[in-house]
Amino acid sequence: MDSDLIVFSGNSNEGLAREICDHLNIPLGKLEISRFSNDNLFVQIGESVREKDVFVVQSFTEPVSDHVLELMIVLDALRSASARRITAVIPYFSYSRSDKKDAPRISIAARLMADLLKTAGANRVLTMDLHADSVHGFFSVPVDHLTAIPLLCDYFKQRLDPGRTVVVATDAGGAKRAGRFARLLEAPLAIIDKRRLGDTDVTQGLVVGDVRGRDAIVIDDEISTGSTMGTTVETLYAAGARSIYIGVTHPVLCGPSIDNLRGLTIEQIVVTNTVSVPEEKQLNSLTVLSVAGLFAETIMRIHTGESVGALFT
């Protein structure tokens, strides 16, 4: 056991943090998070971190603002306690959706979050499958950007015949991610023409690529309300798909998502545990793969100074 390596967890996904620690063969760091009577957060590190290499696991999940502020205060407490290096491990970085100024008088919130993390005390960031790769460039500290694509691909390889499978991107923006999956699976790629009319309202047109008679695997970075997936399933069946599977990294599953997904004619939804899925959201069609081993391996490589580039492929 490495006494110089400590992993702490916020309240967003303690299960994943504990699983990471099991892979590293270390206990989860002692951390107290509570609230004062006026609702202010109180954070106290429960053990010495002086000159230690510290990692804090916190996904930006509902309630997002609470979890973001919680992480900032933990980072600041660790810096004040003289930690040698502090890495913010953010398996799901929800603000990566706010990566550009696409309306008047709005904030590019992803860049703001990057600045706040550094100001709070993060010396580096470890995350997975950002919605927009451009967000990586918003950080002025080192960022290790992992992907769950190989993990999802291995799962489907064992269950489907690539010769009669097609990988589907829900829009042109997701074509790069889906294309990478298709190359690993050695299957063709199809792209759906999607227009977003609002936060949950989308319309889809033609399918670029041949899906007729094939098992379609829809690849995306996250499922939020499930509205896009509902429209995608209708579009693919109309284009002649034989069956439909869904593979995404982040099971955000907010709002009416469970009702939306429960009504879909699909074979399986495969996600990872970057976001904790409560029991009431665990559909019969939902399979959750663990990314704890990948995060643990990356954390150990960062700690020992080894290259982590091989884990990005």
Side-chain angles (χ1 to χ4, degrees):
M1 186 174 70
D2 193 330
S3 60
D4 288 332
L5 171 63
I6 306 178
V7 175
F8 292 99
S9 176
N11 285 319
S12 69
N13 201 340
E14 188 174 321
L16 174 59
R18 289 189 180 279
E19 196 175 340
I20 290 171
C21 288
D22 288 343
H23 280 278
L24 294 170
N25 194 30
I26 61 173
L28 186 65
K30 297 175 183 177
L31 176 65
E32 180 188 352
I33 302 175
S34 59
R35 290 183 182 271
F36 290 106
S37 57
N38 65 356
D39 204 40
N40 284 4
L41 281 169
F42 171 81
V43 170
Q44 185 172 30
I45 313 301
E47 58 189 285
S48 174
V49 295
R50 185 176 294 275
E51 294 304 312
K52 303 291 176 123
D53 195 8
V54 177
F55 296 78
V56 185
V57 181
Q58 181 83 316
S59 280
F60 289 174
T61 56
E62 188 179 359
V64 177
S65 295
D66 284 1
H67 289 151
V68 169
L69 184 58
E70 189 178 281
L71 175 60
M72 300 298 177
I73 296 176
V74 171
L75 295 175
D76 184 63
L78 290 167
R79 179 178 56 184
S80 298
S82 300
R84 175 172 55 84
R85 181 173 61 182
I86 305 168
T87 301
V89 181
I90 310 173
Y92 173 56
F93 188 81
S94 61
Y95 275 101
S96 65
R97 295 175 67 101
S98 305
D99 65 312
K100 56 187 175 295
K101 194 174 179 65
D102 53 5
R105 298 174 296 281
I106 65 169
S107 167
I108 303 177
R111 185 182 61 195
L112 173 63
M113 289 297 144
D115 291 342
L116 288 174
L117 285 165
K118 179 182 178 181
T119 300
N123 302 120
R124 67 186 305 129
V125 171
L126 172 58
T127 189
M128 174 170 277
D129 283 332
L130 293 168
H131 180 73
D133 289 343
S134 58
V135 171
H136 192 144
F138 293 167
F139 290 87
S140 57
V141 297
V143 176
D144 292 308
H145 184 193
L146 299 178
T147 180
I149 290 292
L151 180 69
L152 292 167
C153 187
D154 287 345
Y155 180 88
F156 283 112
K157 260 185 178 178
Q158 297 171 18
R159 290 159 178 82
L160 295 176
D161 177 6
R164 64 180 191 186
T165 299
V166 60
V167 178
V168 179
T170 58
D171 56 26
K176 182 178 179 181
R177 179 181 294 105
R180 183 177 181 185
F181 187 97
R183 286 192 298 274
L184 289 174
L185 194 64
E186 297 181 335
L189 173 69
I191 304 171
I192 296 177
D193 175 31
K194 183 182 81 171
R195 313 289 171 87
R196 182 168 291 279
L197 307 178
D199 182 38
T200 61
D201 190 13
V202 299
T203 182
Q204 291 182 336
L206 57 84
V207 177
V208 181
D210 185 15
V211 302
R212 185 168 298 278
R214 292 178 176 270
D215 299 316
I217 306 176
V218 182
I219 295 297
D220 213 341
D221 59 305
E222 67 176 74
I223 296 180
S224 51
T225 65
S227 59
T228 295
M229 286 302 172
T231 309
T232 298
V233 168
E234 293 176 2
T235 301
L236 290 174
Y237 278 131
R242 192 174 80 112
S243 65
I244 298 175
Y245 296 78
I246 295 172
V248 302
T249 302
H250 311 297
V252 182
L253 302 178
C254 58
S257 59
I258 298 305
D259 289 337
N260 288 341
L261 294 172
R262 188 179 283 119
L264 298 183
T265 304
I266 54 175
E267 301 299 319
Q268 197 173 21
I269 305 171
V270 184
V271 300
T272 78
N273 59 344
T274 57
V275 175
S276 178
V277 181
E279 187 175 348
E280 63 270 18
K281 294 185 178 182
Q282 293 179 4
L283 299 165
N284 292 333
S285 59
L286 187 70
T287 297
V288 182
L289 307 180
S290 178
V291 291
L294 180 55
F295 273 98
E297 175 67 18
T298 306
I299 287 171
M300 182 54 69
R301 289 185 179 218
I302 292 171
H303 177 61
T304 58
E306 297 178 67
S307 170
V308 298
L311 301 178
F312 299 160
T313 59

